Amino acid sequence: QRVEFPMSSNEYSFHLACRQWELLDKGVHKHIFNFDKDIMSLDENERVTSRGSLNVHHCDDTNMVISFTRGPFLFVFNFNPEVPYQLYRVGVDEAGEYQLILNTDETKYGGRGELKSSQYMKKTSDRRADGCRNSLELALASRSAQVYKLVRILRI
């Protein structure tokens, strides 16, 4: 079935601009809908987008990994289409415990679900990385994004 958005070539008609809600129950559409719903819920509950400017502190072109912080949140992206990382070190300024609150590799988003629930809480080490005093060692699936939240600050 053809779906066409209103535009000059169809005289701005809505006749073919129909929503096919049944697609949300299948494959990639279901996974994208689940992700969209959860990312919107995350922002509604945590106000991620209104936490000030972001601080990009890790950009590894060779391994295709980038990370940044925004408020108490750490965002980590592995853009490598083939290589997962088991112990990838990322610097953070604040020593503490970071909880994984969004992982695009979960099966409900179409991922492989490689990260186990025992890996959802991470504690920093005092090893310097990326110009930061502390760091985390993270498991990163290929083509994935993770959002961690600082849930407990440790004073050293």
Side-chain angles (χ1 to χ4, degrees):
Q1 184 181 9
R2 193 170 105 203
V3 176
E4 195 173 282
F5 294 100
M7 58 186 130
S8 60
S9 64
N10 63 17
E11 298 179 12
Y12 301 98
S13 170
F14 283 87
H15 178 69
L16 293 173
C18 57
R19 291 192 172 108
Q20 297 178 3
W21 295 109
E22 69 277 5
L23 292 176
L24 293 181
D25 297 330
K26 301 174 187 156
V28 70
H29 301 285
K30 180 180 181 180
H31 298 144
I32 291 171
F33 178 71
N34 287 339
F35 176 76
D36 188 52
K37 184 174 55 169
D38 288 353
I39 199 78
M40 297 302 273
S41 176
L42 175 66
D43 188 48
E44 184 178 317
N45 295 333
E46 301 286 352
R47 303 284 184 226
V48 175
T49 56
S50 62
R51 297 273 183 157
S53 62
L54 54 89
N55 176 25
V56 177
H57 62 275
H58 182 87
C59 189
D60 183 345
D61 292 334
T62 305
N63 292 316
M64 303 172 79
V65 175
I66 186 170
S67 73
F68 63 87
T69 56
R70 186 173 205 163
F73 301 99
L74 171 67
F75 297 79
V76 185
F77 299 86
N78 179 8
F79 292 107
N80 195 309
E82 299 169 357
V83 181
Y85 301 103
Q86 292 305 313
L87 293 173
Y88 193 89
R89 186 170 298 279
V90 175
V92 290
D93 283 324
E94 197 71 61
E97 292 178 351
Y98 289 76
Q99 181 179 9
L100 182 63
I101 58 175
L102 184 74
N103 175 20
T104 63
D105 190 52
E106 289 184 18
T107 55
K108 69 179 179 176
Y109 304 134
R112 292 183 295 275
E114 295 176 356
L115 204 62
K116 305 301 175 220
S117 60
S118 63
Q119 296 171 296
Y120 277 29
M121 187 68 80
K122 291 289 183 180
K123 186 176 177 182
T124 57
S125 72
D126 59 359
R127 185 170 165 193
R128 295 182 70 85
D130 306 321
C132 299
R133 296 174 300 205
N134 306 288
S135 62
L136 293 168
E137 282 190 335
L138 307 173
L140 304 176
S142 60
R143 286 190 192 157
S144 69
Q146 298 174 354
V147 181
Y148 288 85
K149 181 179 181 182
L150 177 63
V151 292
R152 184 168 165 235
I153 297 174
L154 300 176
R155 299 290 176 211
I156 299 174

